[in-house]
Amino acid sequence: MALSPRSNEIIKKRSRDKLVTSRDPIERLRLKCQERGGAGGIRGLSRTFRIFDDDGNKMLNFDEFSTGLNDYGLFDISIDEKRAIFAAFDKDKSGQISFNEFLERIRPPMSQRRLGLVAAAFSKLDITGDGKITVEDLAGVYNARKHPKYMNGEWTEKQVKLEFLKNFDAGNKDGTVEKHEFFSYYAGVSASIDQDPYFDLMMRNSYNLSD
């Protein structure tokens, strides 16, 4: 269900190649994140920005935004480019941007067909319907006993499930995956897959989704 290292390298290379011709500020930031972190690039930036949201208001001013980019390792973005990116999000000229809106717009775009498949997979895992996936939700959905480290006795069933959730968790790795984290992960995966039928097959096979 997680993306392979080879597929992650494909995302990084494609992003690097697209940066040569891209001029749109939002697209350039998206590509830089993917060039650095592959499918997890957007989630990595999300995690960094959450650290800077000290008051929990889910808003970023320019200084927080600029510092967050540097802290994530995007040192090659000039101050002028940072201002252009920030302005692209700050439509009302308030000097602040919504954290959630930023994440929605920075994700690689997915077709409605792909979004539907990701939503179906999340719903299947979110047994309780509370908008989060936990270890308890995975009972009866994810068979941890087939994992090699469970089979050789190295990990318990709970450890296997926690490791699975880490693929998607952009927060403090507490074993809880929120909906936006799950979608951000698969937006990154989607960027490495050109054909809808292949993405469809991958999602259906991974989560045993019906037609």
Side-chain angles (χ1 to χ4, degrees):
M1 298 183 192
L3 201 64
S4 70
R6 181 177 179 278
S7 296
N8 253 326
E9 288 306 315
I10 291 174
I11 294 175
K12 292 178 181 180
K13 183 180 184 304
R14 287 185 177 181
S15 299
R16 193 157 46 245
D17 292 344
K18 288 180 181 179
L19 273 168
V20 176
T21 57
S22 176
R23 294 293 177 267
D24 179 79
I26 294 176
E27 182 185 38
R28 284 187 60 80
L29 179 56
R30 177 189 304 133
L31 292 171
K32 283 181 178 291
C33 287
Q34 292 177 181
E35 179 189 25
R36 185 179 186 279
I42 304 299
R43 291 182 302 124
L45 183 61
S46 165
R47 182 165 54 247
T48 300
F49 282 152
R50 285 184 187 279
I51 294 172
F52 284 93
D53 185 24
D54 292 329
D55 57 8
N57 69 350
K58 295 186 178 181
M59 301 292 288
L60 294 169
N61 59 37
F62 178 74
D63 287 340
E64 291 171 329
F65 179 75
S66 178
T67 302
L69 292 181
N70 289 342
D71 197 67
Y72 182 56
L74 300 178
F75 302 108
D76 61 336
I77 302 180
S78 69
I79 189 67
D80 289 339
E81 188 170 5
K82 286 178 181 178
R83 293 191 184 283
I85 296 169
F86 190 85
F89 287 102
D90 184 20
K91 294 297 186 182
D92 61 358
K93 311 290 185 187
S94 67
Q96 291 189 314
I97 58 177
S98 163
F99 180 73
N100 288 335
E101 183 182 354
F102 170 80
L103 289 179
E104 288 289 338
R105 293 184 64 190
I106 199 66
R107 287 177 189 152
M110 285 193 287
S111 66
Q112 287 301 311
R113 180 177 178 180
R114 296 189 183 197
L115 284 170
L117 288 164
V118 176
F122 184 86
S123 295
K124 185 164 187 175
L125 294 176
D126 181 20
I127 300 297
T128 58
D130 62 356
K132 299 177 182 179
I133 303 171
T134 64
V135 168
E136 288 72 24
D137 284 321
L138 295 181
V141 179
Y142 176 64
N143 189 354
R145 298 189 176 192
K146 290 185 178 181
H147 194 284
K149 290 193 175 183
Y150 175 85
M151 295 176 71
N152 68 17
E154 186 176 346
W155 285 355
T156 65
E157 190 171 350
K158 184 174 182 178
Q159 284 176 308
V160 172
K161 290 177 179 179
L162 285 171
E163 193 65 24
F164 168 76
L165 292 176
K166 285 181 182 179
N167 289 311
F168 314 103
D169 192 356
N172 58 5
K173 305 297 181 185
D174 60 356
T176 299
V177 177
E178 297 184 16
K179 191 172 185 177
H180 73 85
E181 293 174 325
F182 192 80
F183 271 74
S184 288
Y185 177 82
Y186 276 108
V189 172
S190 176
S192 72
I193 300 174
D194 293 327
Q195 301 298 321
D196 276 350
Y198 180 78
F199 187 86
D200 186 297
L201 180 65
M202 178 200 69
M203 293 299 295
R204 292 189 189 282
N205 287 346
S206 294
Y207 296 101
N208 195 25
L209 301 176
S210 58
D211 293 333

